[in-house]
Amino acid sequence: MPKTSIGETPYSLVYGTDAVIPVEVREPSLRYSNESGSSNDESRLQDLDEVEERRDMAHVRMVAQNKQVERYYNKKAKVRPLKVGDYVLKAKTQAVKDPNKGKLGTNWDGPYKITTAANRGAFQLETMEGKLLQNNWNAAHLKYFHF
C-alpha cells in the first residue's frame, strides 16, 4: 500500500516497480496480462530510469509532511519561560495527596522559589523559609505563581 507521507510503496522505491503477488501469476489478471511480454521489458527499463526521480519526489513529500507536523506541534506546545528567582507552584503526585481530602484536596504545593537551573527544564527549588528541596524538578511539573 502506498504510504501517505511519501505517496509511493516502499517496495517500488527500492526495486523501481510495484510487486506482483503470486496469485496474480497463477490466475492471470488484467494487470498481469498487460505487464507481460516485450512491452514489460521496455516499461521496466523506463521505471528503472525514473526511480531516482520518484525517490527524490518521495523525499520532498516526506520533508514537507514533517515540517507540517512540526508546525502543528509547535502551535500547540506551551512555552514555560521559568528563570532563576521566579516563584512557582509544584504539582502534587498521587502518592503525596491526602486520601482523606478526596478530589477536593489541593493539586499544587507551594509557593517555591527557583534558586538554580540544573539542566534544560530542570530547576532546584527552595521553600519560602529558605530550605532547599532535595530533588530537582522538571518544568512540566511546575507552574508560575502570581503574587
Side-chain angles (χ1 to χ4, degrees), residues 34-49:
N34 286 342
E35 291 187 6
S36 60
S38 62
S39 65
N40 184 35
D41 295 338
E42 294 170 11
S43 66
R44 176 83 172 127
L45 289 173
Q46 185 179 0
D47 286 345
L48 289 174
D49 289 339

Side-chain angles (χ1 to χ4, degrees), residues 74-111:
N74 288 338
K75 183 170 63 172
K76 299 287 183 180
K78 291 182 181 178
V79 179
R80 299 178 190 267
L82 298 174
K83 55 189 179 295
V84 175
D86 286 346
Y87 289 94
V88 293
L89 296 176
K90 178 179 64 108
K92 278 189 180 180
T93 61
Q94 196 66 30
V96 177
K97 288 185 181 181
D98 185 9
N100 295 330
K101 295 190 177 178
K103 66 180 182 179
L104 299 178
T106 60
N107 294 326
W108 297 92
D109 278 338

Side-chain angles (χ1 to χ4, degrees), residues 9-35:
T9 63
Y11 186 90
S12 70
L13 290 177
V14 172
Y15 297 108
T17 185
D18 289 327
V20 177
I21 59 175
V23 173
E24 290 181 346
V25 175
R26 278 195 216 128
E27 300 288 328
S29 67
L30 183 60
R31 175 180 166 200
Y32 180 74
S33 60
N34 286 342
E35 291 187 6

Side-chain angles (χ1 to χ4, degrees), residues 1-13:
M1 293 297 295
K3 300 289 181 186
T4 56
S5 61
I6 55 179
E8 300 281 342
T9 63
Y11 186 90
S12 70
L13 290 177

Side-chain angles (χ1 to χ4, degrees), residues 127-146:
T127 61
M128 296 300 280
E129 292 81 31
K131 181 181 174 190
L132 285 175
L133 294 183
Q134 184 177 3
N135 298 324
N136 294 334
W137 290 88
N138 193 308
H141 304 287
L142 302 175
K143 136 169 121 168
Y144 189 77
F145 180 70
H146 303 280

